[in-house]
Amino acid sequence: MKYLSEFADPVLAQRLLDEISATVTRHWAIMEVCGGQTHSIIRNGIDQLLADEVELIHGPGCPVCVTPVELIDRGLRIAAMPDVIFCSFGDMVRVPGSAGDLFAVRAAGGDVRVVYSPLDAVAVAEENPSKEVVFFAVGFETTAPANAMAVHQAHERGLTNFSVLVSHGGGPPAIEAIVTSPESRVDAFLAAGHVCTVMGTRQYEAIVTEHRVPIIVTGFEPLDVLDGIRRAVRQLEAGRAEVENAYARAVRRDGNEVAKGMLADVFEPTDRQWRGIGPIPASGWRLTSRYRSYDAEIRFGVGDLAVEESGLCRSGDVLQGIIKPSECEAFGTACTPRHPLGATMVSTEGACAAYFQYRRLGDEVVPGG
Amino acid sequence: MATVDFGGVTKTVCLAYTPDAGIGDYTIIHAGFAIAILDEQAALESLELFEQLGIVSATTDEIAP
Amino acid sequence: MVDGWTCPLPLRDYAKVTIGHGGGGQLTDELIRHLFLPAFGDAAVDATPTDSAVVAMAGHRLAFTTDSYVVRPLFFPGGNIGELAVNGTVNDLAMAGAQPLALSTAFVLEEGLELDVLGRVATAMGEAAVRAGARLVTGDTKVVDAGQADGMYITTAGIGLVPADVDVRPERAAPGDTIILSGPVGLHGTAVLSVREGLEFGTELRSDCAPLNGLVQSMLATDGDIHLLRDLTRGGLAAALCEIAETAGFGIRFDESDVAVPPEVRAACGFLGLDPIHVANEGKLVAILPADDADTVLEAMHAHELGADAVVIGAVTDEHPGVVVARTALGAHRIVDRPLGEQLPRIC
């Protein structure tokens, strides 16, 4: 694939690493916000190659990981209903709610289907007019336009048997919540490149101005991640705080106007819960009144299903770099990758899951350490 | 809808969000949608910058006392 | 239903069988260790949770194996369920160092299946058996109601003879041993996914489905003392190496740059969010042997069409027992885990 392998070149990676080492003079904590970047860091071992002064704090991970337990439970309840076909991305089917996952619902007779695109779920609705087809609309702003289009198309085609269970979140409020936390140790952020292909870089300008924290819009290939880190270190060392675009081949200042237009038509901001972290104001999206009838929570009356998140989980503290995963009491006991309590253990690349893995080596090699 | 070649593997994707995409353009695909047209010039400039980094620091090393 | 039977070590996550229990990953392993073996009791005292067992009989050692095949769709680029059923069983025997002798074939057919389809599958099975030098000696046919069996399921069992001087088994792997991989990975899984309903994508890729006994014979014919052979199937290279590390109680390290991944496999894995070393193969193996014997065995492999791209990818180590560590292209390290269950596309 064009412009993928080029951005994984080991020789150029070494040049970027050398440049980072040559620039850094003191300790800096940089958070990569997106699970895709964490994946790339762990997958390629980038954290082990960086200068000791650079600490990477893994962010909240993927949208799946931060989906609150109660929303998953709502999905499980809907999926178990008769005459429902429940469509989901593959990411979501193994994520545990408070009792079981979508695979367990399927084993108990529920019709759960894995789709590649939300439009596939719309097609399922068209082919099955006697069934209720529900799509689990999970994702940050990268996926939201696809999901918005599915709702829009269902509306255009007059499909009354299609609805979506919305778990959209992200955006500047999530970064702002971390920046404004008094205990946060994060010095700079690598923002999610693909989110910015849609939303643009402009959305971060206010945060940078107000909180004086560098935000580097960063891609996912190894060289992209390294370049994001390089630019963050350079700004920090120079005492600058700017929005910088390290993913210029895909991201423009205003993002994708067409997609943003569709998003504004279908979704509006709302407060939302983040698994293991808690509520963040205006960090989620819900359907606008025009499309409210496609809201599966309303259609199936599951909106009042409430679940207490585990009081043990300290993923919020892990995310802010306040504690290491192993300092959490639940780590490795009440909370494991198979039985995760919070976002950072749900995701394979989450800080806690990564720690859990590395612990098997039995030495001091720890990710981001 | 259009066919996108992922380097020997092709997939049908929705171009509703990239109305300007033409044949031969590289795009970024997510969940069956093209969400951005890749700016080849910018990609080459990034790679060029990384090349330069190496040369610049190598030169710096040489002239360093 | 067995009266009063209780699971000795309850399977914690699921009260019912889920798709993941058949994925050849951690869940399958739990089912074997915590349900089947305890439930079988004394009858399973000699059982090893491996793909084939070697039993001594009248002065000979026979390898014995069985496998069920369920694949959707029945035909995929480069093969079909029948070819898979024969080659899979032939390969399980070959990994014990055995030359396959006789195979059984049992069909569960769905009411309404086109006889033409069944005929094409059966023909492919005959051809695959001939290619492997094995006979199809017995079988069974059952039909279930329409809607119950995805067209057809096939179960094959096979026996093979282990030559007297051959001793290939997991316990022989030792620290310092070299690991050879027979060729590029991910072809079968990618080819099947390309025609899976809802995921379809265009590709010229074909499954690598093939009988490996010929390749194994040519390897065993050398002076090299092959300690262990393992074919790569579900869960890919990662699952195979993890299973070896866990069974042998040693660590494994390998270099990712040495594992050939065809560009099309990499591209498909890219948009499906999969790791190529987790993707299924049906015609690849890893061999573990003393480092000094690697060149001899590699030479024999290169002379065989199914081993032409064989390379050394890593080694067995006494560090990090039970754990597989990959050296990344950038020169760092990462822990390789086997997938939990079935491979699912990751989108968001």
Side-chain angles (χ1 to χ4, degrees):
Chain A
M1 236 178 306
K2 197 70 178 160
Y3 303 120
L4 284 184
S5 59
E6 290 92 332
F7 282 87
D9 183 85
V11 175
L12 293 183
Q14 193 55 52
R15 292 194 183 167
L16 282 158
L17 284 163
D18 291 345
E19 178 78 9
I20 292 166
S21 298
T23 310
V24 73
T25 64
R26 47 158 289 195
H27 175 273
W28 299 110
I30 300 171
M31 171 178 282
E32 84 280 0
V33 173
C34 171
Q37 291 160 342
T38 312
H39 179 80
S40 183
I41 288 164
I42 303 274
R43 178 77 180 67
N44 294 288
I46 289 171
D47 45 352
Q48 303 155 31
L49 303 170
L50 282 171
D52 292 341
E53 292 89 343
V54 181
E55 177 188 4
L56 292 179
I57 298 180
H58 302 319
C62 62
V64 168
C65 315
V66 299
T67 296
V69 177
E70 68 184 16
L71 201 66
I72 295 171
D73 283 0
R74 289 172 192 170
L76 295 174
R77 185 181 289 183
I78 295 170
M81 291 180 183
D83 296 321
V84 164
I85 300 175
F86 195 87
C87 298
S88 166
F89 291 136
D91 316 38
M92 204 69 214
V93 293
R94 235 168 357 226
V95 178
S98 50
D101 57 22
L102 284 168
F103 263 137
V105 171
R106 189 154 96 173
D111 190 344
V112 176
R113 301 187 188 180
V114 172
V115 294
Y116 170 74
S117 163
L119 295 184
D120 299 340
V122 176
V124 171
E126 263 182 327
E127 289 156 14
N128 296 275
S130 64
K131 302 272 191 179
E132 279 289 333
V133 174
V134 183
F135 177 66
F136 205 158
V138 177
F140 293 146
E141 297 93 328
T142 326
T143 322
N147 296 345
M149 181 64 84
V151 174
H152 178 75
Q153 288 214 350
H155 187 66
E156 293 280 295
R157 297 179 199 177
L159 288 176
T160 53
N161 65 327
F162 181 79
S163 59
V164 287
L165 181 60
V166 179
S167 175
H168 281 310
I175 289 187
E176 203 153 15
I178 295 171
V179 173
T180 53
S181 160
E183 293 172 287
S184 172
R185 294 172 46 234
V186 180
D187 298 311
F189 290 89
L190 306 185
H194 284 170
V195 162
C196 295
T197 59
V198 174
M199 303 306 285
T201 60
R202 192 195 286 273
Q203 59 169 346
Y204 297 119
E205 290 171 7
I207 300 182
V208 164
T209 311
E210 188 178 344
H211 302 290
R212 301 244 349 120
V213 59
I215 297 182
I216 319 294
V217 174
T218 304
F220 300 87
E221 298 307 316
L223 298 193
D224 291 321
V225 174
L226 285 169
D227 191 34
I229 295 167
R230 179 185 72 89
R231 289 169 189 257
V233 168
R234 203 174 51 169
Q235 280 201 35
L236 289 167
E237 290 287 342
R240 288 186 291 125
E242 294 160 15
V243 176
E244 210 173 321
N245 185 359
Y247 198 31
R249 66 187 185 281
V251 173
R252 276 109 238 169
R253 186 167 178 235
D254 289 317
N256 184 325
E257 297 286 6
V258 188
K260 283 201 293 188
M262 177 65 78
L263 282 179
D265 183 38
V266 176
F267 293 116
E268 63 191 18
T270 182
D271 300 346
R272 77 160 268 170
Q273 286 279 339
W274 294 60
R275 187 173 190 160
I277 300 165
I280 301 179
S283 68
W285 284 349
R286 64 175 179 190
L287 293 163
T288 53
S289 58
R290 182 174 178 207
Y291 295 98
R292 194 66 51 80
S293 61
Y294 293 91
D295 189 331
E297 289 191 43
I298 297 171
R299 189 174 297 187
F300 296 95
V302 295
D304 53 354
L305 177 74
V307 179
E308 277 294 308
E309 300 251 346
S310 162
L312 288 173
C313 177
R314 297 184 63 192
S315 54
D317 292 344
V318 170
L319 282 175
Q320 294 167 57
I322 297 166
I323 61 165
K324 295 277 181 201
S326 50
E327 289 165 3
C328 172
E329 226 173 277
F331 177 80
T333 54
C335 182
T336 63
R338 286 286 292 279
H339 297 269
L341 295 180
T344 44
M345 189 64 99
V346 175
S347 159
T348 329
E349 295 92 25
C352 295
Y355 253 70
F356 191 86
Q357 276 282 13
Y358 275 75
R359 210 174 53 159
R360 294 168 60 202
L361 279 183
D363 60 25
E364 293 304 307
V365 183
V366 286
Chain B
M1 303 299 278
T3 299
V4 171
D5 187 339
F6 289 83
V9 172
T10 57
K11 182 113 186 100
T12 306
V13 303
C14 179
L15 294 188
Y17 293 132
T18 51
D20 299 332
I23 290 173
D25 280 343
Y26 292 99
T27 55
I28 293 187
I29 307 293
H30 189 79
F33 286 77
I35 54 170
I37 300 172
L38 195 131
D39 180 343
E40 285 194 65
Q41 188 55 40
L44 294 171
E45 280 169 16
S46 292
L47 292 169
E48 179 61 24
L49 170 75
F50 303 156
E51 296 275 3
Q52 292 299 326
L53 281 181
I55 292 159
V56 172
S57 34
T59 317
T60 316
D61 286 346
E62 278 166 30
I63 58 169
Chain C
M1 191 69 197
V2 181
D3 253 0
W5 186 85
T6 51
C7 193
L9 212 164
L11 301 166
R12 297 156 301 166
D13 296 334
Y14 300 101
K16 297 181 193 235
V17 171
T18 72
I19 282 290
H21 283 114
Q26 295 173 28
L27 292 173
T28 308
D29 192 56
E30 285 181 13
L31 209 54
I32 295 170
R33 289 180 197 282
H34 299 320
L35 193 147
F36 286 126
L37 292 180
F40 291 164
D42 290 347
V45 162
D46 297 328
T48 48
T50 52
D51 291 331
S52 60
V54 174
V55 288
M57 205 169 280
H60 294 286
R61 285 178 303 152
L62 289 178
F64 180 47
T65 187
T66 185
D67 245 310
S68 291
Y69 294 84
V70 296
V71 60
R72 230 180 17 224
L74 298 173
F75 292 82
F76 47 82
N80 62 59
I81 186 171
E83 236 176 294
L84 215 52
V86 169
N87 287 336
T89 290
V90 163
N91 291 347
D92 281 347
L93 294 172
M95 295 310 121
Q99 175 57 34
L101 298 174
L103 268 59
S104 72
T105 60
F107 295 89
V108 175
L109 306 175
E110 181 184 350
E111 179 185 30
L113 177 71
E114 297 284 343
L115 282 181
D116 173 58
V117 170
L118 182 57
R120 282 156 61 203
V121 168
T123 305
M125 293 177 77
E127 288 169 0
V130 168
R131 188 177 172 200
R135 295 287 181 84
L136 305 177
V137 293
T138 182
D140 181 51
T141 308
K142 297 284 192 299
V143 178
V144 294
D145 290 344
Q148 282 201 353
D150 284 340
M152 72 171 87
Y153 301 145
I154 302 177
T155 297
T156 49
I159 53 170
L161 189 63
V162 184
D165 56 342
V166 169
D167 185 16
V168 178
R169 55 195 160 88
E171 296 78 13
R172 292 198 65 211
D177 279 1
T178 288
I179 303 172
I180 291 174
L181 170 66
S182 68
V185 299
L187 290 162
H188 175 73
T190 309
V192 171
L193 280 177
S194 76
V195 287
R196 178 71 49 85
E197 191 186 353
L199 283 183
E200 296 93 339
F201 54 87
T203 176
E204 303 284 308
L205 279 188
R206 299 169 67 77
S207 166
D208 57 348
C209 183
L212 292 168
N213 58 314
L215 174 64
V216 168
Q217 267 184 322
S218 66
M219 294 163 69
L220 291 172
T222 65
D223 294 335
D225 179 20
I226 295 171
H227 287 166
L228 181 154
L229 292 166
R230 177 76 160 74
D231 59 336
L232 311 183
T233 55
R234 293 170 308 181
L237 176 65
L241 294 180
C242 287
E243 202 176 298
I244 293 168
E246 285 160 23
T247 313
F250 296 117
I252 284 180
R253 57 177 175 76
F254 73 96
D255 206 321
E256 275 189 334
S257 312
D258 292 330
V259 176
V261 180
E264 298 93 333
V265 171
R266 201 173 285 288
C269 285
F271 71 75
L272 294 172
L274 304 178
D275 189 334
I277 64 169
H278 281 162
V279 176
N281 308 271
E282 287 292 344
K284 296 293 178 301
L285 60 79
V286 289
I288 293 185
L289 69 174
D292 289 346
D293 293 347
D295 287 344
T296 318
V297 172
L298 270 176
E299 197 181 324
M301 293 178 82
H302 291 157
H304 194 281
E305 58 167 336
L306 295 177
D309 298 316
V311 286
V312 169
I313 59 163
V316 179
T317 167
D318 48 14
E319 290 166 33
H320 50 80
V323 179
V324 178
V325 175
R327 184 174 188 273
T328 72
L330 299 188
H333 294 88
R334 69 166 176 131
I335 293 182
V336 172
D337 215 356
R338 55 169 149 180
L340 184 66
E342 183 166 315
Q343 289 289 282
L344 296 165
R346 289 171 42 149
I347 307 301
C348 57

